[in-house]
Amino acid sequence: MNWSFVIANAITLACIYGTLAIGISITWSSLGLINMAYGFIFALSGYGAWLAAQYISANGFVVMGAGILTGAIGGMLVCALAFIPIHDKPNFTVRGMIATLAVSLVGNQALLWYFGPRAKSLPPLFGSSQTSIFGVVMTADKIGAVVSSVVLLSAVLLWMRSSRRGLEIRAMMMNPHAAAIVGIGVRRTGFYVMALTGGLAGLASVLLSQTYYVGPFSGITPMVKGLSVALCGGLGSVFGAVIAAALLGINEAMTSVVFGGQYVLITQFALIILILLIRPRGIAGILDKAREA
Amino acid sequence: MTTTWKNPVSAFDPEKPVEEVVTNDYLSPQSQWDATRSYNVPTPPVGRLRYYHKWAGHGDKLWHRLRYWPTRRRVLDISGGYNSKTLRRQKTIEDKRPIWWILSLLALAIAPFFIPENQQNALLTAGAVFGIYAAINLCWMLIIGTAGIYSLATYAVVGAAAYGSAYLSIHMGLPWWAMPLVGSVIGLVFGVIIAIPATRLEGFYYALLTLGLVELCRVYVIQSREFGSATGGLYGADSYIPQDWPQHAQLLLGYYAGLVLMILGLFLFRFVNGKRLGRVLRMAPEKREAFAEATGVNYRAARIQVFLISSLALGFIGGFYSAHFRGAAPSLFSFDTMLLSLAMLVIGGLGRAEGAVLGTLIVVFIDRVLVDWGPMRFVLIGTLMLLVVLFLRGGLFGIKEQFRAWRDKKKSENRSSRAEKGGEMLPEEATETENKDIIYFRRFDKMQRDFLKKLITPEIIEEHRKRPLGQHSEALERVLTYFRRQPQNDKYAITVIEPFKSYRLVALSGTRGVAPRLVEDKIYGSPDEAYHALFLRRVQDLLEA
């Protein structure tokens, strides 16, 4: 078992799943929507990036930009279909979740119908060089994935801290009713949030496609992993998601070294269940009233 | 607009000049009637009519009710009574759902004999799948609807039981009749394991966790060699369908076995949801748990109980599944299976058995019969699900209720847009008042007041001021007659403080023994002044009402 390879892999995956988890977390805490269509947005932006690579240019920035842009558009689509019509209706949380599941069903099947079941692969974005950092051999795509996800996530978090729109989103996260009272448009902010989180999904999709392929159902497993990370960190907490991503990454690396690769999911869920039994609202979640949408 | 009125009584005293007073023109009371009748604002129908067919006769028969074991329920909820108008005896069937259930089950039972020859295979296979999925969905409905636990791990339990029993059947020669029993044990064990986090986690945390569990099962089964990672499933288990039968007979047996499984699922749903556990849990809906707990309802224990019972049943169905299909496939754990099943529940309506069955019928039909459509059939299912979630509150079976609520809303909007002031009864009040005279009296009274309001002019007030008592002009006389006719409570009166010197206005209490109350502080020096003040007060009340 190659330690350095496992650690590099774990860090990369942790960064990518952390990106997804933060998107899910922000959506839940600001809109009260569990976005089950995240897998669909993920697959859609993979196809967007693939189309861009096919027809525009295989340049890394173009492909990544196209992926992020498609993800943002997909997020806005989901918002228009599943958030805008029912966000003020009774029983929104359940209905919203089911609506996003329906969007995911329709979207995935439409992707299958349009692009066919064959998986597509994206061109390598970061070249194929290798460097050694502290004795750990990192390939360029892993370094690129880690660096770009960290940079873009920091940019997003910085934007949320310092800009007017970010202030609105944070206000919605704290208290949606009070935010609506002081004049923050719920629907408009919904579009910002969904575009932002969709963009994050697009980024994760492009980065993960360096290792895996783009397919109509390729988004399901990353979504489940992202959900578990978000859940484990505490829905609504960015900080918790980061800690949880790191924890699960370490767990994944340790398990594959100690027990073997096929036990990763088992130990992962055992860990998640353990964490949730100790802290039912996740690592950084406050055991208080849940967000009432 | 004014005319002079000559007092006809003046003729009895020819020495005095004829008394002449300026008063209103004659206004016919008919004018008010015509105005009311010609009132033609668009008036949409308002009222609360609910039609139940009334069956003739009741009596001794009503007391000999057929009740079915082990409950004390009647087959049909029939109430007897009398028609309030004709006093004829009548019966009403309060709840017709049993009739619909029996008819639909009969239709399902005889359906195989009416299928065209060339579609026998497809439809009978789909029918068996429908039975199995309907049973699974009924159990899941118990978990989501009755227990209120958002568990998405239903297929983890079913799949585990299916895989476990198939594995035992292949490697240890378990006969087909033991597979559902072994499956139930596996299901119960899995249920206990899955239920542990449910005691701590709430709502969506639990839903997401169970979603992860299903994914875990799927990945494990795909990777594990014993569970057929190479062959794409575990096949070769014993089956209740004898392989030496002709194919049509095999399909028929599978169809009826699926149907029997569904009926067992329905009975389970009935006995859990409709009896003690269901009642207890209906007391503790979401966000009102604290109240239920305060009243002594142990809803946590009830929820876990329902969860375990459903897990046991799901395990049974899992064993049946592997006995039906001679094995199990990893597609049981796939995200799409869960999604389709959720679509079945949502389309029919969460929380009701008929919703689960109808939703399953629709989705299985689209999924298994319209195979030629390819991926478009999933798009159709998803669109259906999306539309139902966006527009319906309780699925297809909630349409009636939602439509009634919407109609009531529209009615009350119409009512408020045409409601008039002045004491007329609102339509709903009117339909529920026993004494219909009151309605007509109030309507008449309102018309009369509207008419009298037109008669109040400065001329007749001046006439009254000059001579409060005695013969008056026609208009003033009508007004005064109306005032005198009013009921005793809160009627104005004059009290004498000192004869010929000071008078005050009071209002009668209307109750014997209760003194009148003072209306104002003013003291009048003569009876006529007091009479006129009292008149003005009544006029004011009339105009304000």
Side-chain angles (χ1 to χ4, degrees):
Chain A
M1 186 55 65
N2 185 352
W3 267 93
S4 61
F5 175 75
V6 166
I7 291 175
N9 228 358
I11 293 174
T12 320
L13 287 179
C15 282
I16 294 172
Y17 294 143
T19 312
L20 278 171
I22 286 172
I24 290 171
S25 230
I26 291 175
T27 317
W28 162 253
S29 57
S30 58
L31 304 186
L33 182 73
I34 303 240
N35 191 356
M36 290 291 206
Y38 221 58
F40 159 64
I41 300 175
F42 187 92
L44 181 74
S45 39
Y47 276 108
W50 179 74
L51 283 180
Q54 264 338 74
Y55 296 107
I56 302 173
S57 147
N59 181 356
F61 286 105
V62 173
V63 173
M64 193 186 278
I68 294 175
L69 201 65
T70 329
I73 292 171
M76 281 157 79
L77 183 76
V78 172
C79 181
L81 282 176
F83 177 72
I84 299 296
I86 49 172
H87 73 95
D88 48 356
K89 298 275 164 58
N91 224 348
F92 162 64
T93 343
V94 179
R95 287 167 79 181
M97 189 181 80
I98 294 170
T100 51
L101 277 173
V103 170
S104 151
L105 179 66
V106 173
N108 283 338
Q109 294 293 338
L111 285 181
L112 174 66
W113 171 71
Y114 192 77
F115 289 103
R118 273 190 59 186
K120 320 276 192 232
S121 63
L122 289 186
L125 302 183
F126 308 104
S128 53
S129 58
Q130 282 193 353
T131 40
S132 176
I133 306 168
F134 306 122
V136 178
V137 180
M138 297 281 276
T139 51
D141 60 305
K142 282 179 185 154
I143 297 177
V146 172
V147 169
S148 49
S149 65
V150 168
V151 165
L152 278 177
L153 261 185
S154 322
V156 164
L157 295 181
L158 211 64
W159 177 78
M160 275 181 63
R161 282 182 81 82
S162 56
S163 75
R164 184 81 194 169
R165 303 283 160 258
L167 185 67
E168 288 182 5
I169 294 174
R170 279 185 297 134
M172 283 274 288
M173 284 166 81
M174 282 177 194
N175 190 334
H177 296 287
I181 288 167
V182 297
I184 294 170
V186 174
R187 297 171 184 219
R188 219 178 46 178
T189 318
F191 274 114
Y192 297 144
V193 169
M194 292 298 276
L196 179 72
T197 56
L200 287 179
L203 172 69
S205 167
V206 172
L207 294 181
L208 205 62
S209 307
Q210 296 301 304
T211 348
Y212 301 105
Y213 293 101
V214 176
F217 300 102
S218 61
I220 306 287
T221 315
M223 181 189 73
V224 170
K225 288 208 173 170
L227 273 176
S228 350
V229 172
L231 193 66
C232 194
L235 282 175
S237 159
V238 174
F239 180 61
V242 173
I243 294 181
L247 259 182
L248 293 183
I250 292 169
N251 169 64
E252 194 162 332
M254 294 299 286
T255 313
S256 25
V257 171
V258 178
F259 299 111
Q262 69 265 41
Y263 295 103
V264 166
L265 267 174
I266 297 175
T267 53
Q268 190 173 339
F269 277 100
L271 185 67
I272 292 174
I273 291 176
L274 197 70
I275 290 175
L276 287 180
L277 283 179
I278 297 167
R279 289 188 67 84
R281 297 240 179 262
I283 294 170
I286 303 159
L287 188 56
D288 194 6
K289 226 167 38 169
R291 182 196 193 286
E292 282 177 16
Chain B
M1 294 301 255
T2 54
T3 181
T4 50
W5 169 78
K6 290 179 186 156
N7 189 345
V9 188
S10 305
F12 294 120
D13 194 357
E15 290 174 9
K16 284 187 181 170
V18 175
E19 189 190 357
E20 284 192 0
V21 178
V22 182
T23 180
N24 300 344
D25 270 339
Y26 174 70
L27 179 64
S28 166
Q30 180 73 31
S31 65
Q32 183 61 40
W33 173 257
D34 293 340
T36 309
R37 290 302 302 267
S38 70
Y39 183 66
N40 50 8
V41 174
T43 50
V46 178
R48 219 188 280 159
L49 288 172
R50 206 150 179 190
Y51 180 73
Y52 287 102
H53 184 79
K54 303 291 180 192
W55 302 84
H58 83 88
D60 319 337
K61 285 275 165 53
L62 215 58
W63 300 106
H64 298 289
R65 288 164 181 156
L66 183 64
R67 297 175 191 271
Y68 59 89
W69 184 87
T71 71
R72 294 269 299 141
R73 283 178 210 281
R74 281 173 277 159
V75 180
L76 269 182
D77 187 10
I78 300 178
S79 69
Y82 292 89
N83 186 328
S84 55
K85 265 191 188 160
T86 62
L87 296 184
R88 254 184 234 128
R89 293 182 303 196
Q90 64 185 17
K91 284 190 291 200
T92 314
I93 302 177
E94 303 280 357
D95 187 358
K96 294 199 193 75
R97 276 178 300 177
I99 301 175
W100 294 117
W101 268 118
I102 288 169
L103 285 180
S104 354
L105 289 178
L106 270 182
L108 280 177
I110 59 170
F113 304 103
F114 294 91
I115 301 174
E117 278 293 324
N118 52 351
Q119 290 178 348
Q120 286 269 3
N121 285 356
L123 283 178
L124 282 180
T125 317
V129 171
F130 158 71
I132 295 172
Y133 275 84
I136 295 177
N137 285 336
L138 284 166
C139 296
W140 195 8
M141 194 70 99
L142 277 180
I143 297 176
I144 290 190
T146 307
I149 300 176
Y150 282 93
S151 163
L152 303 179
T154 316
Y155 282 91
V157 178
V158 176
Y163 265 97
S165 52
Y167 185 81
L168 287 179
S169 175
I170 292 169
H171 293 279
M172 297 182 185
L174 200 67
W176 63 264
W177 50 266
M179 286 164 71
L181 304 178
V182 170
S184 339
V185 175
I186 298 173
L188 188 63
V189 172
F190 247 71
V192 170
I193 294 172
I194 299 175
I196 291 171
T199 52
R200 287 274 289 177
L201 295 182
E202 277 171 30
F204 290 94
Y205 283 82
Y206 190 68
L208 301 183
L209 185 71
T210 47
L211 191 67
L213 280 177
V214 180
E215 181 73 5
L216 167 68
C217 288
R218 190 178 71 84
V219 171
Y220 180 74
V221 160
I222 286 178
Q223 287 177 349
S224 154
R225 198 164 297 136
E226 306 94 85
F227 288 132
S229 59
T231 52
L234 198 59
Y235 290 105
D238 191 22
S239 174
Y240 63 91
I241 305 173
Q243 269 175 324
D244 49 350
W245 281 20
Q247 199 206 3
H248 184 246
Q250 285 190 20
L251 286 174
L252 264 186
L253 180 63
Y255 175 78
Y256 282 113
L259 210 58
V260 168
L261 190 71
M262 183 186 89
I263 291 171
L264 287 181
L266 283 171
F267 271 108
L268 182 80
F269 190 88
R270 189 80 178 85
F271 285 122
V272 174
N273 187 53
K275 290 181 74 70
R276 187 173 175 278
L277 278 174
R279 294 288 170 97
V280 161
L281 287 168
R282 229 162 291 147
M283 176 73 199
E286 210 184 340
K287 290 185 185 164
R288 274 176 40 194
E289 286 98 345
F291 173 72
E293 205 162 23
T295 48
V297 168
N298 190 356
Y299 69 93
R300 281 173 220 273
R303 275 185 190 175
I304 297 298
Q305 242 171 304
V306 170
F307 191 89
L308 292 183
I309 292 173
S310 312
S311 298
L312 189 84
L314 285 171
F316 184 90
I317 298 166
F320 180 86
Y321 182 96
S322 57
H324 182 89
F325 291 107
R326 299 176 194 280
S331 70
L332 261 177
F333 296 116
S334 80
F335 191 66
D336 270 5
T337 313
M338 196 274 292
L339 257 182
L340 281 187
S341 207
L342 193 66
M344 298 175 194
L345 296 194
V346 169
I347 288 174
L350 280 177
R352 19 180 139 224
E354 60 266 41
V357 175
L358 181 74
T360 313
L361 191 66
I362 293 174
V363 174
V364 167
F365 182 80
I366 296 176
D367 184 24
R368 297 288 165 129
V369 180
L370 309 177
V371 185
D372 305 340
W373 291 27
M376 284 316 282
R377 65 188 198 276
F378 294 107
V379 174
L380 179 65
I381 294 171
T383 315
L384 211 58
M385 184 174 166
L386 192 63
L387 290 179
V388 165
V389 167
L390 293 190
F391 295 109
L392 300 181
R393 251 173 262 160
L396 289 180
F397 279 98
I399 288 181
K400 195 171 167 189
E401 211 173 296
Q402 196 175 349
F403 171 71
R404 287 211 171 122
W406 173 82
R407 193 179 57 183
D408 283 353
K409 194 184 92 186
K410 282 288 162 203
K411 271 184 196 165
S412 67
E413 279 173 17
N414 288 332
R415 186 165 53 242
S416 59
S417 72
R418 59 179 269 233
E420 293 173 48
K421 287 178 196 163
E424 247 201 305
M425 270 194 182
L426 292 178
E428 267 133 14
E429 212 183 342
T431 52
E432 279 161 18
T433 307
E434 281 297 308
N435 187 354
K436 304 295 180 204
D437 279 353
I438 296 174
I439 305 168
Y440 294 107
F441 173 71
R442 289 222 195 150
R443 190 173 296 166
F444 169 75
D445 196 49
K446 177 174 185 303
M447 274 169 62
Q448 195 174 28
R449 269 180 285 128
D450 286 345
F451 172 65
L452 292 178
K453 274 180 200 171
K454 289 183 194 158
L455 297 186
I456 305 289
T457 52
E459 284 79 28
I460 69 162
I461 292 175
E462 178 60 21
E463 184 192 345
H464 187 273
R465 193 187 63 75
K466 279 184 189 155
R467 224 162 67 97
L469 300 179
Q471 193 73 24
H472 293 122
S473 69
E474 188 259 355
L476 181 56
E477 204 63 47
R478 278 184 188 276
V479 174
L480 286 175
T481 314
Y482 179 77
F483 288 159
R484 285 172 195 142
R485 223 189 55 219
Q486 288 315 100
Q488 285 293 309
N489 53 344
D490 274 348
K491 196 175 189 180
Y492 295 117
I494 298 169
T495 183
V496 184
I497 298 170
E498 203 176 331
F500 308 109
K501 280 189 183 163
S502 63
Y503 301 86
R504 294 183 79 168
L505 293 193
V506 292
L508 299 180
S509 66
T511 323
R512 183 184 287 255
V514 178
R517 62 182 168 84
L518 282 182
V519 175
E520 54 177 27
D521 291 335
K522 203 171 173 191
I523 292 172
Y524 300 96
S526 71
D528 280 7
E529 260 177 61
Y531 278 133
H532 187 61
L534 188 144
F535 174 75
L536 286 181
R537 211 157 246 288
R538 282 180 178 166
V539 165
Q540 194 188 10
D541 285 0
L542 172 71
L543 291 181
E544 275 177 2

